Amino acid sequence: MTTYVNRASFLAGMLAVLAACSKDKPGPGDTGLETTKSEATPAAGAARAPVPGMSDANIFYVLDRANMLDSAAGSVAFTKGTNSEVRDYGRLMMRDHHDLRQRGADLAKRIAIALEPPPNDASQARTEKTMSTLNGVAKGRDFDKTYIDNEVETHKTVLETLVAAMAAAQNAELQNMIQKAAPIIQGHFDMAQAIQRKLK
């Protein structure tokens, strides 16, 4: 299925945008945010052309959309999953990504930053396509595998995005929020990989 690639491509595109604006700033190693083995390998189709720098408002928006989609996808998995681990994972995604989204909204409100989509943002179309695919796949092993494959690719790309966002963020509280989110997303990635191996 290409849905998780499309979603990952969107997030990887955001990674490219974030990385472009952070060339003169300290790298992830200087911020304390640990990197992942996959950070040097953005998903296929990622934007590589020069793009305008990302603002904190753009970073808040990108992270908010990623959390919203993963929470919604988790809700579908909790309902349609047939494998108990897939259902449990979906419930975890609903809870954790709702919480991460709420933390972001609370922080943005407290520091008076309105979420703003980056130029040429296509997140709404990607969200609709992902949800349509998940809702369209029949309940059973095919759904379980489609969902978990999507989660592995998405969390890999979100980890890459967090590394770049950490370097690009201007606000110290936003940097702190990103740093706290990273181990949660790493845990999601590790869990999704473990389930994926069992579903092969």
Side-chain angles (χ1 to χ4, degrees), residues 97-173:
H97 285 283
H98 173 79
D99 183 56
L100 289 169
R101 189 176 188 211
Q102 188 62 55
R103 287 186 210 175
D106 291 347
L107 176 57
K109 183 177 181 180
R110 190 168 71 252
I111 63 178
I113 292 183
L115 279 62
E116 181 181 323
N120 303 315
D121 176 65
S123 61
Q124 183 60 37
R126 306 246 190 254
T127 295
E128 289 171 5
K129 186 167 184 180
T130 296
M131 295 306 293
S132 176
T133 298
L134 291 176
N135 284 314
V137 175
K139 185 174 181 176
R141 183 175 172 79
D142 285 347
F143 174 84
D144 292 346
K145 189 164 184 341
T146 297
Y147 173 70
I148 288 298
D149 288 349
N150 180 65
E151 291 301 295
V152 168
E153 291 302 315
T154 296
H155 282 89
K156 173 183 172 183
T157 306
V158 171
L159 283 166
E160 295 166 351
T161 301
L162 289 176
V163 171
M166 185 68 181
Q170 298 295 311
N171 182 278
E173 289 186 81

Side-chain angles (χ1 to χ4, degrees), residues 167-190:
Q170 298 295 311
N171 182 278
E173 289 186 81
L174 174 56
Q175 290 176 339
N176 187 48
M177 184 185 80
I178 293 167
Q179 195 160 24
K180 287 179 178 176
I184 297 170
I185 302 303
Q186 180 68 55
H188 293 170
F189 177 65
D190 294 343

Side-chain angles (χ1 to χ4, degrees), residues 2 9 11 16 23-24 33-34 45 56 60 78 86 94-95 98 108 119 134 138 144 147 151 155 161 167 175 180 189:
T2 59
S9 295
L11 290 169
K23 288 181 181 174
D24 297 325
L33 180 67
E34 293 194 18
D56 283 359
F60 271 110
F78 179 62
V86 169
M94 288 167 56
R95 186 194 71 203
H98 173 79
L134 291 176
D144 292 346
Y147 173 70
E151 291 301 295
H155 282 89
T161 301
Q175 290 176 339
K180 287 179 178 176
F189 177 65

